[in-house]
Amino acid sequence: MKKNIIYSISLTCMMLGACSDDFTNIAPTGALSDEALQNATGVDLKLTAAYSAMDGERIGRLGEGTAAGADNWWTDVVSDDAHRGSTDGDNTELFQVETLDWQTGSGWFLGRWSALYGGVNSANAVLSLISTIPEGDFSQQLGEATFLRGYYNFELQKFYGNVPFISVENFDNLEFNQPNPGPVWAQIEADFLTAIDNLGPEVVNGRANSWIAKAFLGKAYLYQEKWDEAFTLLNEVVTTSPYSLNAEYVNNFNFVGENSSESMFAIQYVSDDGRSFNGNGTGTLNFPGGGPLGTCCGFYQPTQDLVNAYQTDGSGQPLLDTFADTDVANDYGIESADDFTPHTGPLDPRLDYTVSRRGIDYNGFGLNPGKEWIRATFADVSGPYLPKKNVYQADEVDANRGTGGWGSDWSGINYNVMRFADVLLMTAEAAVEKSAPDLALALEYVNSVRNRAKNMTYVQNEAGDGNAANYQIEPYSAFASQEFARKAVRFERRLELGMEGHRLFDLRRWGVAQEVINAYIANEAADINQSDYSRFRAYTEKFDLFPIPVNAIDQSGGVLDQNPGY
């Protein structure tokens, strides 16, 4: 932009013949010169901008705005955890995403791509600026910026598989049109290693430290099935970091629990009295269609399949292989004025902090009345459930409710990009899969998560004098084999992290997405039987990566290649 401004001023001077030679050295109004930023304050300003890019809100963002945020909620609708929600005709592009009718020009694929490369460029801007400052110790800021670039590229790798890497040198020379010959794991690992070497261990809310960098490098190793390397790093975080599980599961999703001991790396959303520019704008669609606060827009509805996964066997154990054989009772097809009795069988208590069901308290707002809070009709594919983790608690509305440009809700609830329970379960997974499996340790870490769920406060009935449902959960007594341990760890990730944007990526990296999602579509079609599930296509291998946005390919002049199958 500075070059364009100088060119315009120079052209004007030539036409008027009235400018001195130093006229073009004057900084444009409202802009900071490069020299003005070459100090600690300038570095911190640019670093703040690099963190700010995590929420997906930026000037010049392309594509669907609600696809841009780090919670990755819309990827859950590809998996067996969530429906798009609302009516089938509302936001056709996302309906196509859910039903596997993927178009390379979809704004949903472009929205996340654009936001992530905005983050990469913001991180590179910090690194570029630091390189121009001859004096001062900027190792912490360099570590944070390098971590952020590693994080943004990790997300790009998860989504698209074959992505261009933009280096600081590319950034400085405006060489953004880079090819995408394959994965960028080596660059991601290098960035996280640099971050580890430069970051301190101090916990600062919303900022990276050496523990967080180690956890993300361990996660990158996990995605590549480098089990031994992943285990070493992740187990170090589990055993020596300052993080731990909250006593209450729900405190991962409310105001009182923000930046608690379990929250490792979180987007610091804030609601304001007026329009909440620092609220969660990318999650604005995901509130009840009406509901206790008259919200919009009924998107992001949990599936029957997810609800069924929370069934237990009468002794507190999950139904690892048979959960889909029986359904938790639901009010699909039943109007709110008609009678309905909630499920009486044994359930994992995390269900009712994850999914809102008819007849069960909805975050302190009273009993969910069913259909009158569901925007979708019975003929739509969305089903009878509502999300809970992203929605305010009744006694925290004033602290957390913000407003968007059209009266929409921009929540101030933090989103945990990584929390300690996730690290425990990743470490357990690595312990199962590493060259010398440690099933006893995997059992210990999984049971840590299950015992928290057992000992937490349960959702209460309307009178407040007992549990809202028949909650039964117990730790595992043993992992008898590696196969059983693998199954248990994977299932626990779904139960613990449901509706948090992780499920699709887990299924993909385990190599089971095709089997699991196709089975889910068939089962859900039988459950949500007034709708037309024939509109769903089969999940095939190509869906293990999102397509490179055709807009990016066109703008590259053919430098970028499309992913296979599109």
Side-chain angles (χ1 to χ4, degrees):
M1 173 162 306
K2 183 177 178 181
K3 292 179 181 178
N4 291 337
I5 292 171
I6 291 174
Y7 173 78
S8 298
I9 293 173
S10 299
L11 183 61
T12 303
C13 291
M14 290 171 61
M15 293 174 65
L16 297 176
C19 299
S20 63
D21 292 339
D22 63 353
F23 185 87
T24 56
N25 292 326
I26 300 173
T29 301
L32 291 171
S33 68
D34 293 339
E35 292 76 16
L37 290 169
Q38 289 174 343
N39 50 58
T41 299
V43 171
D44 286 341
L45 286 170
K46 287 207 169 187
L47 185 57
T48 298
Y51 278 105
S52 178
M54 290 188 65
D55 68 3
E57 300 292 339
R58 70 181 185 90
I59 296 173
R61 180 185 63 196
L62 303 175
E64 171 59 52
T66 52
D71 56 6
N72 293 333
W73 70 268
W74 62 274
T75 67
D76 275 342
V77 312
V78 182
S79 79
D80 49 353
D81 270 9
H83 292 294
R84 186 280 313 270
S86 186
T87 58
D88 290 352
D90 188 6
N91 198 311
T92 301
E93 283 193 339
L94 187 54
F95 185 74
Q96 290 175 324
V97 171
E98 179 179 7
T99 57
L100 303 173
D101 181 16
W102 291 4
Q103 308 299 315
T104 59
S106 172
W108 290 85
F109 305 137
L110 179 60
R112 191 66 174 132
W113 173 280
S114 173
L116 289 170
Y117 274 111
V120 169
N121 286 337
S122 293
N124 275 332
V126 181
L127 298 172
S128 176
L129 177 60
I130 290 173
S131 71
T132 67
I133 304 175
E135 298 180 355
D137 180 9
F138 293 98
S139 56
Q140 175 71 22
Q141 294 92 330
L142 183 144
E144 291 184 59
T146 309
F147 167 81
L148 287 171
R149 187 175 67 177
Y151 162 76
Y152 291 126
N153 278 310
F154 177 76
E155 288 292 296
L156 284 161
Q157 180 67 51
K158 275 170 48 180
F159 271 74
Y160 306 100
N162 304 294
V163 295
F165 180 79
I166 310 298
S167 67
V168 175
E169 292 74 23
N170 297 145
F171 177 84
D172 286 339
N173 296 318
L174 305 180
E175 297 169 345
F176 299 109
N177 196 17
Q178 298 297 312
N180 61 330
V184 292
W185 286 119
Q187 294 92 330
I188 293 166
E189 291 178 14
D191 276 354
F192 286 149
L193 285 166
T194 298
I196 292 169
D197 289 341
N198 285 274
L199 290 170
E202 297 78 13
V203 175
V204 178
N205 295 340
R207 295 277 179 150
N209 59 38
S210 57
W211 299 115
I212 294 168
K214 288 177 182 179
F216 272 93
L217 178 56
K219 186 174 183 178
Y221 287 147
L222 198 79
Y223 267 66
Q224 299 172 82
E225 299 185 348
K226 295 181 177 181
W227 304 115
D228 288 23
E229 296 94 327
F231 176 79
T232 299
L233 274 174
L234 293 170
N235 200 45
E236 180 185 353
V237 175
V238 170
T239 57
T240 60
S241 80
Y243 302 103
S244 61
L245 293 175
N246 294 331
E248 298 290 345
Y249 180 68
V250 71
N251 284 351
N252 289 298
F253 321 110
N254 59 19
F255 182 76
V256 72
E258 286 187 349
N259 300 313
S260 61
S261 64
E262 188 165 347
S263 177
M264 296 180 63
F265 190 54
I267 299 180
Q268 304 293 302
Y269 289 119
V270 178
S271 60
D272 307 308
D273 292 337
R275 182 172 175 183
S276 297
F277 290 100
N278 293 314
N280 184 357
T282 60
T284 191
L285 303 176
N286 303 335
F287 293 85
L293 295 174
T295 50
C296 186
C297 297
F299 280 56
Y300 199 30
Q301 291 183 237
T303 63
Q304 183 67 44
D305 193 87
L306 175 62
V307 172
N308 288 346
Y310 287 93
Q311 297 177 97
T312 57
D313 65 359
S315 65
Q317 299 298 300
L319 306 179
L320 298 180
D321 297 311
T322 60
F323 73 93
D325 293 349
T326 56
D327 289 337
V328 172
N330 67 73
D331 66 321
Y332 173 69
I334 302 174
E335 297 290 350
S336 293
D338 298 328
D339 291 338
F340 170 74
T341 301
H343 192 73
T344 59
L347 297 169
D348 186 311
R350 287 171 290 188
L351 168 62
D352 290 323
Y353 285 118
T354 303
V355 178
S356 180
R357 305 182 289 137
R358 180 174 174 180
I360 306 295
D361 179 76
Y362 188 57
N363 288 2
F365 289 103
L367 302 185
N368 179 340
K371 178 65 183 71
E372 68 183 54
W373 284 6
I374 302 291
R375 186 178 183 184
T377 71
F378 297 137
D380 297 313
V381 301
S382 301
Y385 300 111
L386 292 170
K388 294 188 82 170
K389 289 180 176 179
N390 62 299
V391 177
Y392 327 107
Q393 300 293 315
D395 59 358
E396 295 181 352
V397 171
D398 290 343
N400 266 333
R401 191 179 190 189
T403 304
W406 43 276
S408 55
D409 280 67
W410 283 40
S411 169
I413 302 172
N414 284 1
Y415 171 71
N416 289 306
V417 179
M418 182 175 285
R419 57 186 178 93
F420 189 69
D422 187 4
V423 176
L424 275 171
L425 294 175
M426 287 192 292
T427 312
E429 182 179 346
V432 171
E433 304 292 355
K434 67 190 183 79
S435 56
D438 190 342
L439 302 190
L441 189 65
L443 175 68
E444 176 186 341
Y445 289 171
V446 169
N447 279 344
S448 294
V449 174
R450 292 186 64 79
N451 279 323
R452 189 264 297 275
K454 175 184 176 180
N455 296 321
M456 69 185 182
T457 303
Y458 296 167
V459 174
Q460 296 295 286
N461 61 23
E462 187 174 20
D465 59 3
N467 296 335
N470 179 14
Y471 299 127
Q472 297 183 27
I473 182 172
E474 295 293 338
Y476 289 98
S477 59
F479 284 168
S481 67
Q482 185 184 39
E483 179 183 1
F484 182 86
R486 177 182 299 120
K487 188 180 299 183
V489 170
R490 292 180 177 184
F491 204 83
E492 198 66 26
R493 284 190 63 81
R494 188 182 193 192
L495 299 176
E496 176 69 18
L497 303 171
M499 302 296 286
E500 295 183 45
H502 301 289
R503 179 63 172 171
L504 176 64
F505 302 105
D506 280 346
L507 293 176
R508 285 173 166 180
R509 67 185 178 85
W510 293 331
V512 300
Q514 187 169 344
E515 173 189 354
V516 169
I517 292 175
N518 285 333
Y520 145 72
I521 292 171
N523 289 336
E524 201 79 356
D527 294 329
I528 314 299
N529 56 19
Q530 294 182 35
S531 59
D532 181 10
Y533 268 72
S534 67
R535 291 172 290 179
F536 279 74
R537 300 187 179 188
Y539 189 102
T540 60
E541 184 179 359
K542 78 171 187 177
F543 295 118
D544 283 341
L545 294 175
F546 290 114
I548 306 298
V550 71
N551 313 59
I553 294 175
D554 290 345
Q555 290 176 0
S556 78
V559 171
L560 292 177
D561 292 325
Q562 184 57 273
N563 281 331
Y566 295 103

